[in-house]
């Protein structure tokens, strides 16, 4: 008899945590000493001051009291895990959470209050990734989730594109979710309250756009790659979303054209 979803996900994620820790331990010293990933310009003191704290999970419990309310309880090896904690509300630039976890040699990142991204949030590795916990709200321009287990207790707001890539990770949102487009590529997504998205695309979502309509929403090279991944099927797209979207998201670029914003800008200019 096959494993249930929670058991399978727990096994995959625990393996992922081990693999991530092994990757972090093997990282060169100069990489570990790099500035904190994702923090905005040093010319903005409030943002530069938002530094995380590294501690064992047992120390986290003593310091902050309440244990993490994860759906799969064994994601964090309680006696060994090193966690990275952001105690205060933070405003960040763009953030690669895999790089942040490797830099600090942790397998769990916890944001205790609201997180405001002034760019893109990406978790590129589709096979594994750090456990991500947002106890407050998360806002980003674009968000890409791969093999991590991600829990957001508050609301999730993505101004443009929300991507779930492959089936080794999962996204759980307790509050409301707003996005311009949700692109789900065989990814487990659960929304506790209302999900508001203008468009849905992907390999296992009811696509709300024809190809002609969708072609107007993506920048040309992204649309060309999406068509190739669809292999001629007019109703679904393929699963190689990391190869398609990450080259742009990692440079803090937007894969969408957003013609509605262009039209709004023209209306304002004409006034």
């Amino acid at each position: 008899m096959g494993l249930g979803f929670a058991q399978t996900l727990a096994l995959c994620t625990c393996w992922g945590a081990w693999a991530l820790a092994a990757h972090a331990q093997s990282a060169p010293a100069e990489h570990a000493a790099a500035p904190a990933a994702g923090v905005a310009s040093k010319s903005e003191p409030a943002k530069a001051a938002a530094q995380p704290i590294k501690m064992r999970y047992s120390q986290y419990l003593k310091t902050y009291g309440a244990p993490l309310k994860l759906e799969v309880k064994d994601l964090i090896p309680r006696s060994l895990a090193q966690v990275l904690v952001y105690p205060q509300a933070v405003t960040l630039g763009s953030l690669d959470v895999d790089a942040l976890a490797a830099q600090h040699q942790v397998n769990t990142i916890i944001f205790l209050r609201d997180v405001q991204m002034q760019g893109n949030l990406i978790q590129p590795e589709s096979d594994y990734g750090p456990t991500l916990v947002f106890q407050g709200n998360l806002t980003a321009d674009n968000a890409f989730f791969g093999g991590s287990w991600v829990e957001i207790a508050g609301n999730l707001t993505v101004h443009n594109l929300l991507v779930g890539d492959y089936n080794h990770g999962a996204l759980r949102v307790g509050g409301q979710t707003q996005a311009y487009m949700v692109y789900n590529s065989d990814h487990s997504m659960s929304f506790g309250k209302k999900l508001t998205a203008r468009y849905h695309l992907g390999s296992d979502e009811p696509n709300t756009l024809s190809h002609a309509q969708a072609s107007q929403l993506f920048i040309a090279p992204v649309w060309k790659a999406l068509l190739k991944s669809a292999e001629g099927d007019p109703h679904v797209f393929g699963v190689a979303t990391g190869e398609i979207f990450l080259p742009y998201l990692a440079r803090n670029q937007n894969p969408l054209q957003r013609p509605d914003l262009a039209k709004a800008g023209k209306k304002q200019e004409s006034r």
Side-chain angles (χ1 to χ4, degrees):
M1 181 180 295
L3 293 174
F5 169 75
Q7 293 172 299
T8 303
L9 182 59
L11 289 173
C12 290
T13 313
C14 287
W15 176 88
W18 173 86
L20 181 68
H23 170 75
Q25 293 290 347
S26 64
E30 61 269 21
H31 179 66
V39 177
S41 170
K42 292 183 179 180
S43 64
E44 303 174 46
K47 298 170 189 175
Q51 296 298 324
I53 303 170
K54 181 179 177 179
M55 61 181 68
R56 291 187 178 275
Y57 183 71
S58 57
Q59 182 185 355
Y60 167 85
L61 290 178
K62 292 179 181 178
T63 305
Y64 298 105
L68 302 180
K69 296 180 180 180
L70 296 173
E71 187 171 323
V72 178
K73 299 301 182 183
D74 58 353
L75 291 178
I76 302 175
R78 298 294 193 246
S79 62
L80 300 176
Q82 294 278 358
V83 301
L84 192 69
V85 182
Y86 285 81
Q88 307 299 328
V90 293
T91 299
L92 304 175
S94 58
L95 178 63
D96 180 330
V97 295
D98 289 349
L100 180 64
Q103 173 190 329
H104 291 276
Q105 299 185 17
V106 298
N107 60 16
T108 303
I109 303 172
I110 306 168
F111 297 89
L112 293 181
R113 299 189 182 276
D114 292 351
V115 178
Q116 176 77 42
M117 301 292 307
Q118 296 182 335
N120 298 334
L121 174 67
I122 62 172
Q123 190 271 299
E125 176 56 58
S126 62
D127 286 332
Y128 60 87
T131 299
L132 293 175
V133 180
F134 297 86
Q135 302 284 52
N137 303 314
L138 169 63
T139 303
D141 286 348
N142 297 279
F144 184 103
F145 297 113
S148 285
W149 180 274
V150 182
E151 290 206 358
I152 302 169
N155 300 326
L156 171 61
T157 303
V158 180
H159 298 307
N160 297 300
L161 182 64
L162 168 62
V163 181
D165 182 36
Y166 200 49
N167 59 18
H168 284 179
L171 171 66
R172 299 288 182 263
V173 183
Q176 297 186 3
T177 302
Q178 292 185 333
Y180 183 76
M181 179 184 293
V182 175
Y183 192 106
N184 188 342
S185 180
D186 197 23
H187 198 75
S188 176
M189 290 182 168
S190 175
F191 304 100
K193 295 184 180 178
K194 185 178 180 181
L195 166 63
T196 303
R198 185 175 298 189
Y199 304 113
H200 293 268
L201 284 174
S203 60
D204 56 359
E205 284 291 323
N207 295 330
T208 60
L209 293 167
S210 68
H211 275 205
Q213 293 170 319
S215 67
Q216 303 301 310
L217 297 177
F218 294 94
I219 60 175
V222 167
W223 176 244
K224 182 178 179 180
L226 286 172
L227 283 179
K228 184 178 180 180
S229 74
E231 296 180 347
D233 190 327
H235 303 294
V236 299
F237 291 97
V239 296
T241 51
E243 297 176 8
I244 295 172
F245 293 124
L246 282 174
Y248 301 93
L249 296 176
R251 296 195 297 266
N252 210 32
Q253 296 177 348
N254 188 1
L256 301 180
Q257 295 194 81
R258 294 298 300 270
D260 57 326
L261 294 182
K263 291 178 181 177
K266 290 180 180 179
K267 287 182 180 178
Q268 292 180 355
E269 291 175 1
S270 64
R271 292 178 181 177

